[in-house]
Amino acid sequence: MFNADDLKKGFLSDLENVINENNLSDLWKKYFSKQGSIQGLMSGIRNVAKEDKKAYGQFVNDVKTWAQNKYEEKKSEIEKAALKTRYENETIDVTVPSNAQEVGCLHPLTTVKYEMINVFAGMGFEIFEGPEIEDDDHNFTRLNVLKDHPSRDMQDTFWLTDELLLRTHTSPGQIRVMDKEKPPIKVLVPGKVFRSDSDATHSPMFSQLEGLVVDKHITLCDLQGMLDEFVRNMFSDSAKTRLRPSYFPFTEPSVEVDVSCFRCGGKGCSLCKGTGWIEVLGGGVVNKKVLENCGIDSTQYSGLAFGIGIERITMLKYGINHMGKMFENDIEFLKQFKA
Ligand code: DAH
């Protein structure tokens, strides 16, 4: 009785041309919106005789359902195709090498400090850390550095007040340990120290590793034995030490310790300046006055002590020629120390 063949034909041919989501929404507007053809068909109800209106309404609804079904089919087809294209385009090639996150590494000074501590820890040393702000008493006086000693000079020491200063060495750690503990004592004091000094091989801040052993019958031979073990572990199996007489107020006798050149094996090269030996640390037998200053009976006990510059060992080990390199945080420089 009613006829929408033209609309259906038009709809089918329009549907045929739909190939993407834009076309689909155009089609929706053209047929299903308020101004759309199907709504137009419904408006035709005005011209239908009263008794036929119900049938006409049913007829338009059927057309609409038919068109909606077709539309939904097409819509899911388009969506599937779009998803397929997306899957294809967004495929992940798991074989492509990734931009791996760079992993950091320990600073060479930290690595060397740990290595040094490890060697001595193997000989039974414990760690003690003292304050970086020290007083005159611990940094100088009780270490037997007398009032007129040149190292107390304003030029060398960063004084904070008449009494307080930035420690110029880790040796005050010896006093702090001996104040707290009675022999036998075997400690390491690692830490930063400060001196008013700056050039290729000196920096106002650097680090030292102090060692102190106090017990009965401790001699210079014990010091040499421990240091031999230390240089063999740090430099090479065949490294040897050489002790030269020196002077420090807190040790008597005092020695300057050289290691046989680990680059040339002692023949003489640029690293050892042709001598076959490289100076690495200072040490000696603890001055009796220092033991007494800490209430330790020097007729019963003796001690050995040494102080090693951690930067110096690091520079020697890695052939670094400027102290500043170690404090600049230059990533390119530091990257070289990745394991
Ligand atoms: N404190 C000295 C310095 O900073 C190094 C040193 C020398 C430490 C001899 C010692 C020692 O314990 O016995 O130059």
Side-chain angles (χ1 to χ4, degrees), residues 168-169 171 174 195 208 210-211 248 250-251 282-284 305-307:
T168 59
H169 51 180
S171 304
Q174 294 187 27
R195 284 182 209 174
Q208 288 185 334
E210 187 87 12
F248 298 103
F250 28 89
T251 40
F306 55 87

Side-chain angles (χ1 to χ4, degrees), residues 81-109:
L83 201 61
K84 188 164 170 256
T85 329
R86 240 185 94 182
Y87 281 156
E88 280 164 7
N89 291 341
E90 293 178 9
T91 309
I92 295 168
D93 181 352
V94 291
T95 65
V96 173
S98 68
N99 298 326
Q101 283 282 329
E102 279 206 54
V103 179
C105 65
L106 290 180
H107 192 283
L109 273 179

Side-chain angles (χ1 to χ4, degrees), residues 131-143 145 147 152 157-169 171-173 175-176 179:
E132 288 174 6
I133 294 179
E134 265 298 0
D135 52 42
D136 181 300
D137 208 41
H138 288 85
N139 197 84
F140 294 127
T141 309
R142 291 171 74 200
L143 282 165
V145 183
K147 287 284 177 207
R152 286 169 172 262
T157 301
F158 292 112
W159 287 95
L160 303 176
T161 66
D162 282 350
E163 266 304 305
L164 295 178
L165 50 97
L166 296 180
R167 67 174 171 197
T168 59
H169 51 180
S171 304
I175 304 292
R176 293 193 176 271
D179 274 351

Side-chain angles (χ1 to χ4, degrees), residues 32 54 112 140 145 151 182 208 223 334:
F32 301 104
K54 190 174 171 209
V112 170
F140 294 127
V145 183
S151 68
K182 294 299 147 216
Q208 288 185 334
L223 177 67
L334 294 173

